[in-house]
């Protein structure tokens, strides 16, 4: 009994020393477990599926993100990521204020179509003043004007097999390849999901994504692809790029960015 | 097991000892250690996330062209040519070189808000910080709910956590005892314990979860009241950080109290549930 008690005491002391030692050595002892592809990291990343399921459960498909009054626009929209692409196709499209730019919409649709900026501007528009939340932690309120993506989808008629809307962009960012992003059909048909060509009552500036950027107001900023060149409807994004459905998801960020 | 046998294992002169009593239920013990682990990982991954934008604001948005910042951590080039870390709290500047803003081993210093030894991963990696943070966030929320329901049903909440009028009357005496490092070992928590555990479990942890959810654009659309309750997403982020500081302070005092008031007895009660009370406290 005595020996047991002493052994237990030693065990407790050793455990406490171990925990203290880990802390003193620094958190880098965990680094190897956290590299992309390690089973420990992959298991932890599984929690994001839970987050997505929980938010889809709590969030009505048409529930709106908050819209603000004009007085809450207190500053210019902070640009992030690519702010001045030099990719050749972008420079070509940018000539003459994007006069020859055409947005192509295709993939799993009945009638593929393409639109000039002028044609998009002449479609029924939606304007919203919303808060842009960056994954880094900051927020910025701005006014966005554009065509509801649902209106485009109604014209091209997605097939029943279409499950995701993929945005292919002009820009490469940080040498990691072409930017692209994807959303499910719930977010694609959400009333606030617009292809914005205007910002704060002016044409969308290059630094914020001209000629077109998508607004997905119930997710973080990195989902809202800028410099959109082509929209493709797909049933599965695993064959695109590195297979995770988004430029940032390919780099280890969560595909669903509702949190 | 006999009290005599147990006494033989103790070190020091034979003193009259009280009995071993059952103090902690399995629910309390299991959730306590789940929180200890998850709060550790939440802290270090949270500091990794904070480092992506080491600035806190009051309001809906972050002032880039106006100033609503309450805390910022950064690096500056000092007049003597060296680089230093500067922390600005409510407009007040502090030199925090080596810890906040600019830190690392000599010759390999980095511009980073919190130093690498306290962030996870140790290198700048927001994506991985988020993976770790949300995984342990789910564990914390789940075990909190389990603990709350179990404690409601087994009486732990009413008996040990929510302070009574009698507890509040004993509070001045309790404070005086603690200040003199004289600790009573009763079957139940004293008034200061009830207050601090109640504060952490019923106020700070729920506040942490709710301000965390307020930073989620998805949750803000689902529960628009979140943003109103906390006065904006950026205020919620600032509160989230402030509560983190309070939880770290609680942890320091908690561990100090565990050590000062009998580490073996305290740890045993949180592992096996058994706690040796003072002889006169035989209840």
């Amino acid at each position: 009994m005595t020996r047991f008690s002493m052994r237990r005491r030693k065990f407790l002391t050793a455990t406490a020393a171990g925990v203290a030692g880990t802390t003193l050595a620094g958190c880098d002892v965990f680094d190897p477990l956290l590299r992309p592809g390690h089973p420990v990291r992959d298991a932890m990343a599984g929690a994001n599926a839970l987050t997505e399921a929980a938010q889809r459960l709590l969030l009505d498909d048409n529930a709106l993100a908050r819209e603000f009054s004009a007085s809450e626009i207190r500053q210019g929209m902070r640009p992030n990521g690519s702010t001045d692409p030099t990719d050749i196709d972008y420079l070509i499209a940018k000539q003459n204020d994007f006069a020859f730019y055409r947005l192509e919409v295709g993939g799993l649709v009945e009638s593929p179509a393409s639109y000039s900026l002028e044609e998009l501007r002449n479609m029924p528009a939606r304007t919203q003043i919303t808060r842009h939340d960056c994954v880094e932690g900051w927020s910025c309120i701005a006014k966005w004007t554009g065509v509801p993506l649902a209106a485009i989808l109604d014209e091209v008629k997605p097939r029943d097999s279409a499950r995701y809307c993929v945005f292919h962009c002009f820009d490469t960012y940080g040498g990691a390849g072409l930017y692209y992003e994807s959303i499910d059909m719930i977010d694609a048909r959400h009333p606030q999901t617009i292809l914005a060509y205007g910002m704060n009552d002016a044409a969308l500036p290059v630094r914020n994504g001209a000629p077109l950027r998508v607004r997905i107001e119930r997710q973080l900023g990195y989902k809202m692809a800028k410099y959109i060149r082509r929209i493709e409807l797909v049933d599965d994004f695993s064959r695109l790029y590195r297979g995770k459905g988004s430029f940032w998801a390919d780099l280890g960020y969560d595909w669903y960015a509702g949190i | 097991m006999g009290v005599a046998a147990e006494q033989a294992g103790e070190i020091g002169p034979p003193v009259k000892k009280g009995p071993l009593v059952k103090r902690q239920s399995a629910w309390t013990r299991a959730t306590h250690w789940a929180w200890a682990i998850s709060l550790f990982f939440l802290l270090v991954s949270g500091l990794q996330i904070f480092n992506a934008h080491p600035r806190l604001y009051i309001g809906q948005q972050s002032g880039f062209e106006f100033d609503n910042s309450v805390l910022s951590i950064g690096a500056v080039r000092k007049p003597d040519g060296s680089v230093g870390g500067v922390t600005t709290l409510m407009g007040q500047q502090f030199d925090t070189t080596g810890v906040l803003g600019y830190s690392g081993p000599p010759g390999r210093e980095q511009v980073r808000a919190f130093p690498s030894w306290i962030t996870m991963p140790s290198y700048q990696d927001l994506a991985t910080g988020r993976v770790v943070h949300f995984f342990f966030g789910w564990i914390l929320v789940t075990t909190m709910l389990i603990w709350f329901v179990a404690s409601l049903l087994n009486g732990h909440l009413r008996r040990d956590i929510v302070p009574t009028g009698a507890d509040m009357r004993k509070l001045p005496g309790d404070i005086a005892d603690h200040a003199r490092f004289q600790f009573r070992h009763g079957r139940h928590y004293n008034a200061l314990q009830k207050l601090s555990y109640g504060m952490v479990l019923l106020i700070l942890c729920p506040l942490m979860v709710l301000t965390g959810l307020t930073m989620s654009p998805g949750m803000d659309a689902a529960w628009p009241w979140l943003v109103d309750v906390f006065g904006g997403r950026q205020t919620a982020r600032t509160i989230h950080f402030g509560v983190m500081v309070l939880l770290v302070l609680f942890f320091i005092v908690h561990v100090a109290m565990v050590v000062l008031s009998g580490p073996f007895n305290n740890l045993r009660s949180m592992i096996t549930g058994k706690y040796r009370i003072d002889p006169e406290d035989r209840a």
Side-chain angles (χ1 to χ4, degrees), chain A residues 78-234:
Chain A
R78 181 182 171 86
N80 206 10
S82 298
T83 51
D84 191 12
T86 52
D87 306 85
I88 188 69
D89 286 330
Y90 184 71
L91 296 177
I92 291 170
K94 196 168 86 166
Q95 298 171 99
N96 303 318
D97 284 337
F98 300 98
F100 306 112
Y101 165 81
R102 291 193 78 80
L103 170 72
E104 288 170 43
V105 187
L108 298 174
V109 299
E110 296 299 338
S111 37
S114 77
Y115 302 85
S116 72
L117 211 45
E118 196 55 34
E119 285 165 343
L120 291 171
R121 287 200 184 104
N122 286 328
M123 290 177 73
R126 190 181 202 284
T127 294
Q128 58 207 26
I129 300 173
T130 51
R131 190 192 68 206
H132 180 100
D133 296 332
C134 180
V135 65
E136 293 165 4
W138 54 265
S139 309
C140 194
I141 293 174
K143 183 198 258 189
W144 303 94
T145 302
V147 188
L149 180 56
I152 305 277
L153 294 179
D154 286 344
E155 291 196 358
V156 299
K157 300 186 194 67
R159 296 201 186 124
D160 290 342
S161 54
R163 291 182 58 210
Y164 303 100
C165 201
V166 181
F167 305 95
H168 295 277
C169 304
F170 280 110
D171 62 312
T172 48
Y173 182 61
L178 277 172
Y179 201 100
Y180 78 110
E181 190 49 78
S182 62
I183 54 176
D184 64 13
M185 297 311 284
I186 294 173
D187 273 323
R189 291 211 167 265
H190 185 262
Q192 287 172 320
T193 299
I194 60 174
L195 297 173
Y197 47 72
M199 189 192 84
N200 290 343
D201 295 318
L204 183 66
V206 166
R207 65 178 180 279
N208 297 105
L212 279 184
R213 94 171 295 174
V214 65
R215 299 292 310 166
I216 301 151
E217 303 290 0
R218 304 184 303 178
Q219 296 203 41
L220 295 173
Y222 69 79
K223 294 297 285 187
M224 305 194 220
K226 310 200 281 192
Y227 314 112
I228 297 173
R229 176 180 200 171
R230 183 163 65 87
I231 295 176
E232 182 186 12
L233 284 112
V234 298

Side-chain angles (χ1 to χ4, degrees), chain A residues 1-2 5-6 8-9 11-12 16 22-28 30-31 34-36 41 43-45 47-48 50-51 54-55 58-59 63-66 68 72-78 131-141 217-220 222 251-254 256-259, chain B residues 1-2 5-6 8-11 40-41 44 49-50 52-53 57 60-66 68 116-123 125-128 130-132 134-136 138 212-225 227-228 232-234 237 263-264 267-268 271-272:
Chain A
M1 193 64 71
T2 302
S5 171
M6 285 305 282
R8 197 163 51 180
R9 190 174 302 202
F11 168 74
L12 291 178
T22 304
T23 315
L24 288 178
C27 296
D28 55 353
F30 296 103
D31 287 352
L34 301 172
R35 307 272 181 200
R41 185 208 158 97
M44 285 196 288
N48 199 51
L50 200 57
T51 305
Q55 291 205 357
L58 292 170
L59 193 53
L64 297 183
R66 173 160 310 199
F68 295 85
E72 310 216 44
I73 305 171
R74 298 177 61 191
Q75 55 189 346
M77 178 63 202
R78 181 182 171 86
R131 190 192 68 206
H132 180 100
D133 296 332
C134 180
V135 65
E136 293 165 4
W138 54 265
S139 309
C140 194
I141 293 174
E217 303 290 0
R218 304 184 303 178
Q219 296 203 41
L220 295 173
Y222 69 79
L251 293 177
Y253 283 81
D254 311 313
Y256 179 74
I259 191 163
Chain B
M1 77 173 65
E6 190 72 33
E10 306 284 341
I11 297 161
F40 168 75
F41 286 104
V44 293
I49 296 171
F50 174 87
H53 188 75
Y57 312 83
Q60 297 287 358
Q61 60 178 324
S62 313
F64 298 109
E65 294 171 27
F66 60 97
N68 61 344
S116 68
W117 56 266
I118 202 169
T119 68
M120 184 179 298
S122 63
Y123 46 90
D125 182 354
L126 173 59
T128 303
R130 284 165 52 84
V131 166
V132 175
F134 298 144
F135 174 78
F136 284 101
W138 272 105
L213 291 178
T214 308
M215 285 185 258
S216 150
M219 289 310 299
D220 285 352
W223 296 345
W225 51 267
V227 180
D228 296 320
R233 179 181 191 249
Q234 290 301 318
R237 184 167 176 261
F264 179 69
L267 276 175
R268 173 174 54 197
I271 293 171
T272 69

